[in-house]
Amino acid sequence: MTNKKIGFIGLGRMGLPMGYNLLKAGLDLTVHNRSQHKVQEIAAAGAATAASSAEVTLQCDIVLACLPDIGTSEEVFLGPGGVMDNARKGQIIVDHSTVGINTSKACAEAAEAKGAMFLDAPISGGTERAENATLVIMAGGSKEAFDAVSPAFHAMGDTVRHTGPTGTGTTVKLVNQLLVGVHTLVAAEAMLMGTKSGADPALVYELVSSGWGQSFMLDRNSSVMLDQTYEDARAPVRTILKDLGLIQELARSIDTPTPAGDVAYKLFTEAAEAGLGNLDMPGVAKLLEKEAGVEIRRKP
């Protein structure tokens, strides 16, 4: 990647720390974001700035983006005057966002039409792992493109894999999110059942997390539930609901059953409709607490 100019579009909760890690690796970075205060923040650390996604694309050899939702991704990549309109032969374009298979394939086709290469390379690990450069990065698309971008990926993550052809990176991320959604819901159910039965919920967590019932999402969500800190939304209910919707779409398209995923989608939908969409994702527990008439709360 010697002398390769890297562009990064989207400096949100994940994108900003990812950008910092690219700078720490000594890479030549140009950034763009709608919110300019984040642009100025990372510019002070050494990043060049661009006024638009088009400008990033015109200036850089490799374009990375990490965007919050499908609509924004499609606007940035496929919209008039966006990334694909300005792509050129030999350029590599990467989407780190969580989108659907159809969006990833549309981006790949648009890139190919310009002689560019596209990777659907979603990420997993949350803001903590974005900050310490230990993200999981799963990339679908050309192996040639993956190898060329691999140094940048390794500047941001410590588990970096080429998953196969276009769409497979997105597929693996949706598999991950299926487990995240189901495990989050079941962790809330389990903690609520223990609480309503009269057990100390903190002790329930301690013992279960040492047994076969242990899961990463139980570990991640238990303190949020015990301390009722749902307002600190590192990953909001609305975001996992969006991902569960994409999972529904994928499952229907390949005619495979996802019964637990269907239940999770239903309950997270109800949580969002009940005004809980901006809470951290274990906030789905608030819906169950209301029905049970008890709160999962750490004892004094």
Side-chain angles (χ1 to χ4, degrees):
M1 284 184 65
T2 306
N3 299 324
K4 293 288 187 183
K5 292 177 66 69
I6 297 178
F8 201 104
I9 301 167
L11 301 175
R13 292 173 67 93
M14 300 293 286
L16 185 61
M18 291 165 72
Y20 275 118
N21 285 323
L22 291 169
L23 284 178
K24 288 176 187 175
L27 300 175
D28 184 349
L29 182 67
T30 299
V31 300
H32 170 67
N33 190 63
R34 285 178 177 174
S35 174
Q36 285 300 299
H37 76 275
K38 291 186 175 181
V39 171
Q40 297 310 314
E41 179 184 329
I42 196 169
T49 65
S52 64
S53 299
E55 190 175 318
V56 170
T57 310
L58 292 169
Q59 291 182 4
C60 298
D61 305 295
I62 296 168
V63 178
L64 315 177
C66 187
L67 301 163
D69 53 57
I70 302 163
T72 305
S73 291
E74 292 183 345
E75 177 187 348
V76 168
F77 283 107
L78 302 170
V83 171
M84 296 308 175
D85 272 359
N86 291 282
R88 62 184 181 276
K89 185 175 181 179
Q91 197 169 33
I92 300 173
I93 299 165
V94 180
D95 187 10
H96 288 301
S97 320
T98 301
V99 297
I101 295 292
N102 291 338
T103 299
S104 294
K105 289 183 176 180
C107 287
E109 290 170 5
E112 185 178 358
K114 290 295 192 81
M117 293 178 282
F118 176 80
L119 295 171
D120 49 284
I123 53 178
S124 181
T127 53
E128 303 91 340
R129 293 178 69 172
E131 289 165 0
N132 60 27
T134 59
L135 288 169
V136 178
I137 302 176
M138 48 213 92
S142 156
K143 183 65 163 56
E144 177 189 353
F146 174 81
D147 289 342
V149 184
S150 189
F153 286 169
H154 282 283
M156 301 180 290
D158 65 354
T159 302
V160 177
R161 297 288 186 273
H162 181 240
T163 56
T166 296
T168 57
T170 292
T171 295
V172 175
K173 177 60 187 289
L174 293 180
V175 169
N176 182 82
Q177 296 307 92
L178 173 60
L179 290 167
V180 168
V182 170
H183 288 183
T184 292
L185 176 59
V186 172
E189 286 182 20
M191 293 289 284
L192 182 64
M193 184 170 66
T195 300
K196 182 132 190 198
S197 296
D200 180 341
L203 187 60
V204 169
Y205 165 66
E206 179 186 342
L207 294 172
V208 171
S209 66
S210 299
W212 279 14
Q214 187 273 341
S215 77
F216 182 88
M217 297 316 297
L218 177 62
D219 289 343
R220 189 255 185 215
N221 294 335
S222 61
S223 63
V224 178
M225 292 186 280
L226 288 167
D227 298 322
Q228 296 279 307
T229 54
Y230 298 105
E231 299 293 337
D232 180 17
R234 293 173 290 163
V237 164
R238 56 182 163 76
T239 298
I240 189 64
L241 175 58
K242 179 263 292 184
D243 295 347
L244 287 166
L246 293 172
I247 290 159
Q248 293 266 302
E249 181 182 288
L250 174 60
R252 302 299 175 264
S253 73
I254 59 175
D255 193 25
T256 190
T258 54
D262 295 348
V263 172
Y265 179 71
K266 176 179 180 292
L267 268 292
F268 276 97
T269 298
E270 290 177 9
E273 290 173 349
L276 306 174
N278 290 327
L279 297 184
D280 200 35
M281 62 182 167
V284 69
K286 303 302 292 179
L287 194 71
L288 306 180
E289 287 176 339
K290 183 177 181 180
E291 185 175 343
V294 65
E295 281 190 331
I296 305 163
R297 186 180 290 274
R298 195 183 303 276
K299 291 187 175 181

